[in-house]
Coordinates of all heavy atoms in Angstrom, one line a residue:
M1033 N 171.3 42.5 33.9 CA 170.9 42.6 32.6 C 169.9 41.5 32.3 O 170.0 40.3 32.7 CB 172.1 42.4 31.6 CG 171.7 42.4 30.2 SD 173.2 42.1 29.2 CE 172.6 42.7 27.7
K1034 N 168.7 41.9 31.7 CA 167.7 40.9 31.4 C 168.0 40.2 30.1 O 168.4 40.8 29.1 CB 166.4 41.8 31.2 CG 165.2 40.9 31.1 CD 163.9 41.7 30.8 CE 163.7 43.0 31.5 NZ 162.4 43.6 31.3
L1035 N 167.9 38.9 30.2 CA 168.1 38.0 29.0 C 166.7 37.3 28.7 O 166.0 36.9 29.6 CB 169.2 37.0 29.2 CG 170.6 37.5 29.5 CD1 171.5 36.4 29.8 CD2 171.0 38.3 28.3
Y1036 N 166.4 37.2 27.4 CA 165.2 36.6 27.0 C 165.3 35.2 26.4 O 166.3 34.9 25.7 CB 164.5 37.5 25.9 CG 164.2 38.9 26.3 CD1 165.2 39.9 26.2 CD2 163.0 39.2 26.9 CE1 164.9 41.2 26.7 CE2 162.8 40.5 27.4 CZ 163.7 41.5 27.2 OH 163.4 42.8 27.7
N1037 N 164.4 34.3 26.8 CA 164.4 32.9 26.4 C 163.2 32.7 25.6 O 162.1 33.1 26.0 CB 164.4 32.0 27.6 CG 165.6 32.3 28.5 OD1 166.7 32.5 28.1 ND2 165.3 32.4 29.8
V1038 N 163.3 32.0 24.5 CA 162.1 31.8 23.5 C 162.0 30.3 23.2 O 163.0 29.6 22.9 CB 162.4 32.6 22.2 CG1 161.2 32.4 21.3 CG2 162.6 34.1 22.5
S1039 N 160.8 29.8 23.3 CA 160.4 28.5 22.8 C 159.3 28.6 21.8 O 158.4 29.4 22.0 CB 160.0 27.6 24.0 OG 161.0 27.4 24.8
L1040 N 159.3 27.8 20.8 CA 158.3 27.8 19.7 C 157.7 26.4 19.7 O 158.4 25.4 19.7 CB 158.9 28.1 18.4 CG 159.8 29.4 18.3 CD1 160.4 29.6 17.0 CD2 158.9 30.6 18.7
S1041 N 156.4 26.3 19.6 CA 155.7 25.0 19.6 C 154.6 25.0 18.6 O 153.9 26.0 18.4 CB 155.2 24.6 21.0 OG 154.2 25.4 21.4
N1042 N 154.3 23.8 18.0 CA 153.2 23.6 17.2 C 152.2 22.6 17.9 O 152.4 22.5 19.2 CB 153.5 23.1 15.8 CG 154.4 21.8 15.9 OD1 154.3 21.0 16.8 ND2 155.2 21.6 14.9
D1043 N 151.3 22.0 17.3 CA 150.4 21.1 17.9 C 151.0 19.9 18.5 O 150.4 19.3 19.4 CB 149.3 20.7 16.9 CG 148.4 21.8 16.5 OD1 148.3 22.8 17.3 OD2 147.7 21.7 15.5
S1044 N 152.2 19.5 18.1 CA 152.7 18.2 18.5 C 154.0 18.3 19.4 O 154.4 17.4 20.1 CB 153.0 17.3 17.3 OG 153.9 17.9 16.4
C1045 N 154.7 19.5 19.2 CA 156.0 19.5 20.0 C 156.6 20.9 20.0 O 156.2 21.8 19.3 CB 157.0 18.6 19.3 SG 157.5 19.1 17.7
I1046 N 157.6 21.1 20.9 CA 158.5 22.3 20.8 C 159.4 22.0 19.7 O 160.2 21.1 19.6 CB 159.2 22.5 22.1 CG1 158.2 22.8 23.2 CG2 160.3 23.6 22.0 CD1 158.9 22.9 24.6
F1047 N 159.4 22.9 18.7 CA 160.3 22.7 17.5 C 161.5 23.5 17.4 O 162.4 23.3 16.6 CB 159.5 22.8 16.2 CG 158.9 24.1 15.9 CD1 159.6 25.1 15.2 CD2 157.6 24.4 16.2 CE1 159.0 26.3 15.0 CE2 157.0 25.6 16.0 CZ 157.7 26.6 15.3
D1048 N 161.6 24.5 18.3 CA 162.8 25.3 18.3 C 162.8 26.2 19.6 O 161.7 26.5 20.1 CB 162.9 26.3 17.1 CG 164.4 26.7 16.8 OD1 165.3 26.3 17.6 OD2 164.6 27.3 15.8
S1049 N 164.0 26.4 20.1 CA 164.1 27.3 21.3 C 165.5 27.9 21.4 O 166.5 27.3 20.7 CB 163.8 26.5 22.6 OG 164.8 25.5 22.8
H1050 N 165.6 29.0 22.1 CA 167.0 29.6 22.3 C 166.9 30.4 23.5 O 165.9 31.1 23.8 CB 167.3 30.5 21.1 CG 168.7 31.1 21.2 ND1 169.8 30.4 20.8 CD2 169.1 32.3 21.6 CE1 170.9 31.2 21.1 NE2 170.4 32.4 21.5
N1051 N 167.9 30.3 24.3 CA 168.0 31.1 25.6 C 169.1 32.2 25.5 O 170.1 32.0 24.8 CB 168.4 30.2 26.7 CG 167.3 29.2 27.1 OD1 166.1 29.5 26.8 ND2 167.6 28.1 27.7
G1052 N 168.9 33.3 26.1 CA 169.9 34.3 26.3 C 170.0 35.4 25.3 O 171.0 36.0 25.0
F1053 N 168.8 35.7 24.7 CA 168.8 36.9 23.8 C 169.0 38.2 24.6 O 168.4 38.3 25.6 CB 167.5 37.0 23.0 CG 167.4 36.0 21.9 CD1 166.5 34.9 22.1 CD2 168.1 36.1 20.7 CE1 166.3 34.0 21.1 CE2 168.0 35.1 19.7 CZ 167.1 34.1 19.9
A1054 N 169.9 39.0 24.1 CA 170.2 40.3 24.9 C 169.1 41.3 24.8 O 169.0 42.1 25.7 CB 171.5 40.9 24.4
T1055 N 168.3 41.3 23.7 CA 167.3 42.3 23.5 C 166.0 41.6 23.2 O 165.9 40.5 22.6 CB 167.6 43.3 22.4 OG1 167.6 42.6 21.2 CG2 168.9 43.9 22.6
A1056 N 164.9 42.3 23.5 CA 163.5 41.8 23.1 C 163.4 41.7 21.6 O 162.7 40.8 21.1 CB 162.5 42.6 23.8
A1057 N 164.0 42.7 20.9 CA 163.9 42.7 19.4 C 164.5 41.4 18.8 O 164.0 40.8 17.9 CB 164.6 43.9 18.9
E1058 N 165.7 41.0 19.4 CA 166.3 39.7 18.9 C 165.4 38.5 19.2 O 165.2 37.6 18.3 CB 167.6 39.5 19.6 CG 168.7 40.5 19.2 CD 170.0 40.4 20.1 OE1 169.9 39.9 21.2 OE2 171.0 40.7 19.5
A1059 N 164.7 38.5 20.3 CA 163.8 37.4 20.7 C 162.6 37.4 19.7 O 162.2 36.4 19.2 CB 163.3 37.6 22.1
A1060 N 162.1 38.6 19.4 CA 160.9 38.6 18.5 C 161.3 38.2 17.1 O 160.6 37.5 16.4 CB 160.3 40.1 18.5
D1061 N 162.5 38.6 16.7 CA 163.0 38.2 15.3 C 163.2 36.7 15.2 O 162.8 36.1 14.2 CB 164.3 38.9 15.0 CG 164.1 40.4 14.6 OD1 163.0 40.8 14.3 OD2 165.1 41.1 14.6
F1062 N 163.7 36.1 16.3 CA 163.9 34.7 16.3 C 162.6 34.0 16.2 O 162.4 32.9 15.6 CB 164.6 34.3 17.6 CG 164.7 32.8 17.8 CD1 165.7 32.0 17.2 CD2 163.9 32.1 18.6 CE1 165.8 30.7 17.3 CE2 163.9 30.7 18.8 CZ 164.9 30.0 18.2
A1063 N 161.5 34.5 16.9 CA 160.2 33.9 17.0 C 159.4 34.0 15.7 O 158.5 33.2 15.5 CB 159.5 34.5 18.2
A1064 N 159.7 34.9 14.9 CA 158.9 35.2 13.7 C 159.3 34.4 12.5 O 160.4 34.0 12.3 CB 158.9 36.7 13.4
G1065 N 158.3 34.2 11.6 CA 158.5 33.7 10.3 C 158.8 32.3 10.0 O 159.6 32.0 9.1
R1066 N 158.4 31.4 10.9 CA 158.7 30.0 10.7 C 157.7 29.2 9.9 O 157.8 28.0 9.6 CB 158.8 29.3 12.1 CG 159.8 29.9 13.0 CD 161.2 29.9 12.4 NE 162.2 30.4 13.2 CZ 162.9 29.7 14.1 NH1 162.7 28.5 14.3 NH2 163.8 30.4 14.9
G1067 N 156.7 29.9 9.4 CA 155.7 29.2 8.6 C 154.4 28.8 9.4 O 154.6 28.2 10.4
G1068 N 153.3 29.1 8.9 CA 152.0 28.6 9.5 C 151.7 29.4 10.8 O 152.1 30.6 11.0
K1069 N 151.0 28.7 11.7 CA 150.6 29.3 12.9 C 151.2 28.5 14.1 O 151.1 27.2 14.0 CB 149.1 29.3 13.0 CG 148.4 29.6 14.3 CD 146.9 29.4 14.3 CE 146.4 29.3 15.6 NZ 144.9 29.0 15.6
Y1070 N 151.8 29.1 15.1 CA 152.4 28.4 16.2 C 152.5 29.2 17.4 O 152.3 30.5 17.3 CB 153.8 27.9 15.8 CG 154.7 29.0 15.2 CD1 155.5 29.7 16.1 CD2 154.8 29.3 13.9 CE1 156.4 30.7 15.6 CE2 155.6 30.2 13.4 CZ 156.4 31.0 14.2 OH 157.2 32.0 13.8
R1071 N 152.7 28.6 18.5 CA 152.8 29.3 19.8 C 154.2 29.8 20.1 O 155.2 29.1 19.8 CB 152.3 28.4 21.0 CG 150.9 27.9 20.8 CD 149.9 29.0 21.0 NE 149.7 29.3 22.4 CZ 149.0 30.3 22.9 NH1 148.5 31.2 22.1 NH2 148.9 30.5 24.2
V1072 N 154.3 30.9 20.7 CA 155.5 31.5 21.1 C 155.5 31.7 22.6 O 154.5 32.3 23.2 CB 155.7 32.9 20.4 CG1 157.0 33.5 20.9 CG2 155.7 32.7 18.9
Y1073 N 156.5 31.3 23.3 CA 156.7 31.5 24.8 C 158.0 32.2 25.0 O 159.0 31.8 24.6 CB 156.7 30.1 25.5 CG 155.5 29.3 25.2 CD1 155.5 28.4 24.2 CD2 154.4 29.3 26.1 CE1 154.4 27.6 23.9 CE2 153.3 28.5 25.8 CZ 153.3 27.7 24.7 OH 152.2 26.9 24.5
V1074 N 157.9 33.3 25.8 CA 159.0 34.1 26.0 C 159.1 34.4 27.5 O 158.1 34.8 28.1 CB 159.0 35.5 25.3 CG1 160.3 36.3 25.5 CG2 158.8 35.3 23.8
D1075 N 160.3 34.2 28.1 CA 160.5 34.6 29.5 C 161.8 35.3 29.6 O 162.6 35.3 28.7 CB 160.4 33.5 30.5 CG 161.5 32.5 30.4 OD1 162.7 32.9 30.8 OD2 161.4 31.4 29.9
A1076 N 162.0 36.0 30.8 CA 163.3 36.7 31.0 C 163.9 36.1 32.3 O 164.0 36.7 33.3 CB 163.0 38.2 31.1
D1077 N 164.3 34.8 32.1 CA 164.9 34.1 33.3 C 164.0 34.0 34.5 O 164.5 33.9 35.6 CB 166.3 34.7 33.7 CG 167.3 34.4 32.6 OD1 167.2 33.4 31.9 OD2 168.3 35.2 32.5
N1078 N 162.7 34.0 34.2 CA 161.7 33.7 35.3 C 160.5 33.0 34.6 O 159.6 33.6 34.1 CB 161.3 35.1 35.9 CG 160.2 34.8 37.0 OD1 159.8 33.7 37.3 ND2 159.7 35.9 37.5
A1079 N 160.6 31.7 34.7 CA 159.6 30.9 34.0 C 158.2 31.1 34.5 O 157.2 30.8 33.8 CB 159.9 29.4 34.1
E1080 N 158.0 31.6 35.7 CA 156.7 31.9 36.3 C 156.1 33.1 35.6 O 154.9 33.3 35.7 CB 156.8 32.1 37.8 CG 157.2 30.9 38.5 CD 157.4 31.1 40.0 OE1 156.9 32.1 40.5 OE2 157.9 30.2 40.7
N1081 N 156.9 33.9 35.0 CA 156.4 35.1 34.3 C 156.7 34.9 32.8 O 157.7 35.5 32.3 CB 157.0 36.4 34.8 CG 156.4 37.6 34.2 OD1 155.2 37.6 33.7 ND2 157.1 38.7 34.2
T1082 N 155.9 34.2 32.1 CA 156.1 33.9 30.7 C 155.0 34.5 29.8 O 153.8 34.4 30.2 CB 156.0 32.3 30.5 OG1 157.1 31.7 31.2 CG2 156.2 32.0 29.0
I1083 N 155.4 35.1 28.8 CA 154.4 35.7 27.8 C 154.1 34.6 26.8 O 155.1 34.0 26.2 CB 155.0 36.9 27.1 CG1 155.4 38.0 28.1 CG2 154.1 37.4 26.0 CD1 154.2 38.7 28.8
M1084 N 152.8 34.4 26.5 CA 152.4 33.4 25.5 C 151.8 34.2 24.4 O 151.0 35.1 24.7 CB 151.5 32.4 26.1 CG 152.1 31.4 27.1 SD 151.0 30.1 27.6 CE 149.5 30.9 28.0
A1085 N 152.1 33.9 23.2 CA 151.5 34.5 22.0 C 151.4 33.5 20.9 O 151.9 32.4 21.0 CB 152.4 35.7 21.5
T1086 N 150.6 33.8 19.9 CA 150.5 33.0 18.7 C 151.0 33.8 17.6 O 150.7 35.0 17.4 CB 149.0 32.6 18.5 OG1 148.5 31.9 19.6 CG2 148.9 31.7 17.2
Y1087 N 151.9 33.2 16.8 CA 152.4 33.9 15.6 C 151.7 33.4 14.4 O 151.5 32.2 14.2 CB 153.9 33.6 15.4 CG 154.5 34.4 14.3 CD1 154.8 35.8 14.4 CD2 154.7 33.9 13.0 CE1 155.3 36.5 13.4 CE2 155.1 34.6 12.0 CZ 155.4 35.9 12.1 OH 155.9 36.7 11.1
Y1088 N 151.2 34.3 13.5 CA 150.5 34.0 12.3 C 151.4 34.5 11.1 O 151.6 35.7 10.9 CB 149.2 34.7 12.2 CG 148.2 34.2 13.2 CD1 148.2 34.8 14.5 CD2 147.3 33.3 12.9 CE1 147.3 34.3 15.5 CE2 146.4 32.8 13.9 CZ 146.4 33.4 15.1 OH 145.4 32.9 16.0
T1089 N 152.0 33.5 10.4 CA 152.8 33.8 9.3 C 152.1 34.6 8.2 O 152.6 35.6 7.7 CB 153.4 32.6 8.7 OG1 154.2 31.9 9.7 CG2 154.4 32.9 7.5
D1090 N 150.9 34.2 7.9 CA 150.1 34.9 6.9 C 149.8 36.4 7.2 O 149.7 37.2 6.3 CB 148.8 34.2 6.5 CG 147.9 34.1 7.7 OD1 148.3 34.1 8.8 OD2 146.7 33.9 7.4
K1091 N 149.8 36.7 8.5 CA 149.6 38.1 8.9 C 150.9 38.8 9.3 O 150.9 40.0 9.6 CB 148.6 38.1 10.1 CG 147.2 37.7 9.7 CD 146.3 37.7 10.9 CE 144.9 37.4 10.5 NZ 144.2 36.4 11.2
D1092 N 152.0 38.0 9.4 CA 153.3 38.5 9.9 C 153.1 39.3 11.2 O 153.5 40.4 11.4 CB 154.0 39.3 8.9 CG 155.5 39.6 9.3 OD1 156.0 38.8 10.0 OD2 156.0 40.6 8.9
S1093 N 152.3 38.6 12.1 CA 152.1 39.3 13.4 C 151.9 38.3 14.6 O 151.6 37.2 14.4 CB 150.9 40.2 13.3 OG 149.7 39.5 13.1
F1094 N 152.1 38.9 15.7 CA 151.9 38.1 17.0 C 150.6 38.5 17.6 O 150.2 39.6 17.6 CB 153.0 38.5 18.0 CG 154.4 38.1 17.6 CD1 155.2 39.0 16.9 CD2 154.9 36.9 18.0 CE1 156.5 38.6 16.5 CE2 156.2 36.5 17.6 CZ 157.0 37.4 16.9
A1095 N 149.9 37.5 18.1 CA 148.6 37.7 18.8 C 148.8 37.4 20.3 O 149.2 36.2 20.6 CB 147.5 36.9 18.2
V1096 N 148.5 38.3 21.1 CA 148.7 38.2 22.6 C 147.3 38.2 23.2 O 146.5 39.1 23.0 CB 149.6 39.3 23.2 CG1 149.7 39.1 24.7 CG2 151.0 39.2 22.5
D1097 N 147.0 37.2 24.0 CA 145.7 37.1 24.7 C 145.8 38.0 25.9 O 146.6 37.8 26.8 CB 145.5 35.7 25.1 CG 144.1 35.5 25.8 OD1 143.4 36.5 26.0 OD2 143.8 34.4 26.1
E1098 N 145.0 39.1 25.9 CA 145.1 40.0 27.0 C 143.8 39.9 27.9 O 143.4 40.9 28.5 CB 145.3 41.5 26.5 CG 146.6 41.6 25.9 CD 146.9 43.1 25.6 OE1 146.1 43.8 25.1 OE2 148.1 43.4 25.8
G1099 N 143.3 38.7 28.0 CA 142.1 38.5 28.9 C 140.8 38.4 28.1 O 140.1 37.4 28.2
F1100 N 140.4 39.5 27.5 CA 139.1 39.5 26.8 C 139.2 39.3 25.3 O 138.2 38.9 24.7 CB 138.4 40.8 27.1 CG 138.1 41.0 28.5 CD1 138.8 41.8 29.3 CD2 137.0 40.3 29.1 CE1 138.6 42.0 30.7 CE2 136.7 40.5 30.5 CZ 137.5 41.3 31.3
D1101 N 140.3 39.6 24.7 CA 140.5 39.5 23.3 C 142.0 39.4 23.0 O 142.8 39.7 23.8 CB 139.9 40.8 22.7 CG 139.5 40.6 21.2 OD1 139.7 39.4 20.7 OD2 139.1 41.5 20.6
Y1102 N 142.2 39.0 21.7 CA 143.6 39.0 21.3 C 144.0 40.3 20.7 O 143.2 41.0 20.0 CB 143.8 37.9 20.2 CG 143.8 36.5 20.8 CD1 142.6 35.8 20.8 CD2 144.9 35.9 21.3 CE1 142.6 34.5 21.3 CE2 144.9 34.7 21.8 CZ 143.7 34.0 21.8 OH 143.7 32.7 22.4
T1103 N 145.2 40.8 21.0 CA 145.8 42.0 20.4 C 146.9 41.6 19.4 O 147.8 40.9 19.8 CB 146.4 42.9 21.5 OG1 145.4 43.2 22.5 CG2 147.0 44.1 20.9
F1104 N 146.7 42.0 18.2 CA 147.7 41.7 17.2 C 148.8 42.7 17.2 O 148.5 43.9 17.3 CB 147.0 41.5 15.8 CG 146.3 40.3 15.6 CD1 145.0 40.1 16.0 CD2 146.9 39.2 15.0 CE1 144.3 39.0 15.9 CE2 146.2 38.0 14.9 CZ 144.9 37.9 15.3
M1105 N 150.0 42.3 17.1 CA 151.2 43.2 17.2 C 152.2 42.9 16.1 O 152.4 41.7 15.8 CB 151.9 43.0 18.5 CG 151.0 43.2 19.7 SD 151.9 43.0 21.2 CE 150.6 43.1 22.4
T1106 N 152.8 43.9 15.6 CA 154.0 43.7 14.7 C 155.2 43.2 15.5 O 155.1 43.2 16.8 CB 154.4 45.1 14.0 OG1 154.8 46.0 15.1 CG2 153.2 45.7 13.2
R1107 N 156.3 42.9 14.9 CA 157.5 42.5 15.6 C 157.9 43.6 16.6 O 158.3 43.3 17.7 CB 158.6 42.1 14.7 CG 158.4 40.8 14.0 CD 159.7 40.5 13.1 NE 159.3 39.6 12.1 CZ 160.2 39.0 11.3 NH1 161.5 39.3 11.5 NH2 159.8 38.2 10.4
A1108 N 158.0 44.8 16.1 CA 158.4 45.9 16.9 C 157.5 46.1 18.1 O 158.0 46.3 19.2 CB 158.5 47.2 16.1
H1109 N 156.2 46.0 17.9 CA 155.3 46.2 19.0 C 155.4 45.0 20.0 O 155.3 45.2 21.2 CB 153.9 46.3 18.5 CG 153.6 47.7 17.9 ND1 153.1 47.8 16.6 CD2 153.7 48.9 18.4 CE1 153.0 49.0 16.3 NE2 153.3 49.8 17.3
F1110 N 155.6 43.8 19.5 CA 155.7 42.7 20.4 C 157.0 42.8 21.2 O 157.0 42.5 22.4 CB 155.7 41.4 19.5 CG 155.8 40.1 20.4 CD1 154.7 39.8 21.2 CD2 156.8 39.2 20.3 CE1 154.7 38.7 22.0 CE2 156.9 38.1 21.0 CZ 155.8 37.8 21.9
A1111 N 158.1 43.2 20.6 CA 159.4 43.4 21.3 C 159.2 44.4 22.4 O 159.6 44.2 23.6 CB 160.5 43.9 20.4
R1112 N 158.5 45.5 22.2 CA 158.2 46.6 23.2 C 157.4 46.0 24.3 O 157.6 46.2 25.5 CB 157.6 47.8 22.6 CG 157.4 48.9 23.5 CD 158.7 49.5 24.0 NE 158.4 50.6 24.9 CZ 159.0 50.7 26.1 NH1 160.0 49.9 26.4 NH2 158.7 51.7 26.9
Y1113 N 156.4 45.2 23.9 CA 155.5 44.5 24.9 C 156.3 43.6 25.8 O 156.1 43.6 27.0 CB 154.4 43.7 24.1 CG 153.4 43.0 25.0 CD1 152.3 43.7 25.6 CD2 153.6 41.7 25.3 CE1 151.4 43.1 26.4 CE2 152.6 41.0 26.1 CZ 151.6 41.7 26.6 OH 150.7 41.0 27.4
L1114 N 157.2 42.9 25.3 CA 158.1 42.0 26.1 C 158.9 42.8 27.0 O 159.1 42.5 28.2 CB 159.0 41.2 25.2 CG 158.3 40.2 24.3 CD1 159.4 39.5 23.4 CD2 157.6 39.1 25.1
E1115 N 159.5 43.9 26.6 CA 160.3 44.8 27.4 C 159.5 45.3 28.6 O 160.0 45.3 29.7 CB 160.9 46.0 26.6 CG 161.9 45.6 25.6 CD 162.3 46.8 24.7 OE1 161.6 47.9 24.8 OE2 163.2 46.6 23.9
I1116 N 158.3 45.7 28.4 CA 157.5 46.3 29.4 C 156.9 45.2 30.4 O 156.9 45.4 31.6 CB 156.3 47.1 28.8 CG1 156.8 48.3 28.1 CG2 155.3 47.4 29.9 CD1 155.8 49.0 27.2
S1117 N 156.6 44.1 29.8 CA 155.8 43.0 30.6 C 156.7 42.1 31.3 O 156.3 41.4 32.3 CB 154.9 42.2 29.6 OG 154.0 43.1 29.0
L1118 N 158.0 41.9 30.9 CA 158.8 40.9 31.6 C 159.9 41.6 32.4 O 160.3 42.7 32.3 CB 159.6 40.1 30.5 CG 158.6 39.1 29.7 CD1 159.5 38.4 28.6 CD2 158.0 38.1 30.6

């Protein structure tokens, strides 16, 4: 069974983290809505394969860098992205 680990950071520190979410949806819910703009790091017990995103509270969405541009995603889309990518 895949478990998801989430860390949240701002410009100065990691301000929250949690390991062992059973679903990607739980991980996305934990990562969302903390105020402002911050980085989100998610892995599935493999730190070498970590998804990095930026959460924008004002847009209530995650931005994932896919190489050439950022793709903005809702919580549901971000959860699905995590399921597929990790």
Side-chain angles (χ1 to χ4, degrees):
M1033 176 181 201
K1034 190 184 317 187
L1035 297 176
Y1036 299 91
N1037 307 313
V1038 181
S1039 294
L1040 308 176
S1041 69
N1042 56 27
D1043 291 341
S1044 60
C1045 66
I1046 294 173
F1047 63 86
D1048 205 354
S1049 64
H1050 182 82
N1051 293 335
F1053 287 107
T1055 68
E1058 291 172 332
D1061 285 344
F1062 174 82
R1066 302 301 181 90
K1069 171 185 160 186
Y1070 53 89
R1071 297 292 281 170
V1072 176
Y1073 302 89
V1074 183
D1075 71 72
D1077 287 332
N1078 178 1
E1080 293 178 13
N1081 186 22
T1082 299
I1083 301 293
M1084 292 187 309
T1086 302
Y1087 184 80
Y1088 293 87
T1089 299
D1090 61 336
K1091 295 178 173 132
D1092 192 26
S1093 64
F1094 294 89
V1096 177
D1097 184 356
E1098 295 192 317
F1100 296 103
D1101 202 3
Y1102 286 93
T1103 301
F1104 285 85
M1105 303 177 188
T1106 65
R1107 285 185 204 190
H1109 287 122
F1110 185 62
R1112 183 69 182 132
Y1113 181 81
L1114 295 174
E1115 290 171 352
I1116 292 168
S1117 300
L1118 293 175

